């Protein structure tokens, strides 16, 4: 993973050839003319965990990367959108379900292939209405048992969440 693969060749403000400068141990693309610095940050995304009993809601991706693979309902935040609002919106767009965000479950770092760095904010949510139907960039949706998930799960951050839910379920059974 080389973040500088995403570096601009030309300054987006004044079109000068960008150079690379070290700043606090990190090499950053910078414009030698106007001083513009390109900060290469992860992109924020949000996901929701919606349960029906022991089952969890998943969506199958319609588009690359990882088309045909399964994830929690999830997507990128819009510019001025809080993470919990994005999580609720993605659930509605992808699965047709209206959900209420309950609490923060986890924050994971992951890679959207080939190499887009993502921070995934994961919430638990309660189903409040709507009707289950695939939409937007989902081609199928459904509730699945944690020990009988469809495969493959598209992204490592989502697998971590599902693994954590499975561990929770095992602990509950053991008590
Ligand atoms: Zn410039």
């Amino acid at each position: 993973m080389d973040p500088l693969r995403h570096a601009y060749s030309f300054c987006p403000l004044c079109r000068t050839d960008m150079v690379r400068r070290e700043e606090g141990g990190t090499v950053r693309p910078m414009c030698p003319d106007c001083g513009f610095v390109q900060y290469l940050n992860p992109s924020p995304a949000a996901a929701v965990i919606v349960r029906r009993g022991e089952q969890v809601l998943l969506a199958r991706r319609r588009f690359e990367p990882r088309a045909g693979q399964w994830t929690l309902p999830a997507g990128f935040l819009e510019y001025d959108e809080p993470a919990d609002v994005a999580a609720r919106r993605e659930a509605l767009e992808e699965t047709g379900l209206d959900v209420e965000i309950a609490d923060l479950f986890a924050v994971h770092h992951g890679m959207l292939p080939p190499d887009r760095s993502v921070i995934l904010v994961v919430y638990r949510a309660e189903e409040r209405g709507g009707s289950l139907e695939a939409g937007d960039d989902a081609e199928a949706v459904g509730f699945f048992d944690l020990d009988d998930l469809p495969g493959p799960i598209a992204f490592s951050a989502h697998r971590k969440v599902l693994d954590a839910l499975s561990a929770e379920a095992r602990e509950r059974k053991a008590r």
Side-chain angles (χ1 to χ4, degrees):
M1 169 191 56
D2 175 16
L4 292 172
R5 198 177 79 80
H6 300 285
Y8 296 140
S9 300
F10 304 99
C11 176
L13 303 182
C14 75
R15 306 179 195 182
T16 301
D17 285 345
M18 295 284 278
V19 297
R20 291 175 186 187
R21 293 267 166 77
E22 194 181 311
E23 197 184 82
T26 302
V27 176
R28 300 190 193 283
M30 183 182 275
C31 173
D33 190 23
C34 77
F36 169 80
V37 178
Q38 183 188 6
Y39 292 98
L40 293 159
N41 299 327
S43 302
V48 279
I49 300 164
V50 184
R51 310 294 292 268
R52 278 183 183 172
E54 288 295 303
Q55 295 190 314
V56 64
L57 177 61
L58 296 177
R60 192 166 69 205
R61 295 174 60 77
R62 183 187 298 279
F63 302 115
E64 295 296 343
R66 307 275 158 88
Q69 300 190 15
W70 293 83
T71 67
L72 299 164
F76 288 106
L77 275 59
E78 296 296 342
Y79 186 76
D80 56 353
E81 187 179 45
D84 59 331
V85 174
R88 180 166 182 257
R89 174 180 55 74
E90 290 290 345
L92 186 61
E93 287 175 359
E94 292 185 351
T95 74
L97 294 185
D98 191 11
V99 302
E100 183 179 317
I101 300 301
D103 59 5
L104 179 65
F105 181 79
V107 178
H108 290 302
H109 180 258
M111 279 293 165
L112 188 70
D115 67 348
R116 184 170 180 182
S117 176
V118 175
I119 294 289
L120 185 69
V121 183
V122 185
Y123 294 95
R124 288 188 206 260
E126 301 291 336
E127 192 177 340
R128 288 290 180 251
S131 60
L132 189 61
E133 188 183 359
D136 197 37
D137 50 1
E139 61 174 12
V141 289
F143 283 87
F144 299 93
D145 290 322
L146 288 166
D147 56 8
D148 191 22
L149 293 173
I153 302 300
F155 306 121
S156 63
H158 293 247
R159 281 196 295 275
K160 277 184 207 162
V161 172
L162 294 166
D163 288 347
L165 293 175
S166 297
E168 256 183 24
R170 280 195 302 275
E171 274 172 36
R172 260 203 312 277
K173 272 182 203 150
R175 272 203 295 270

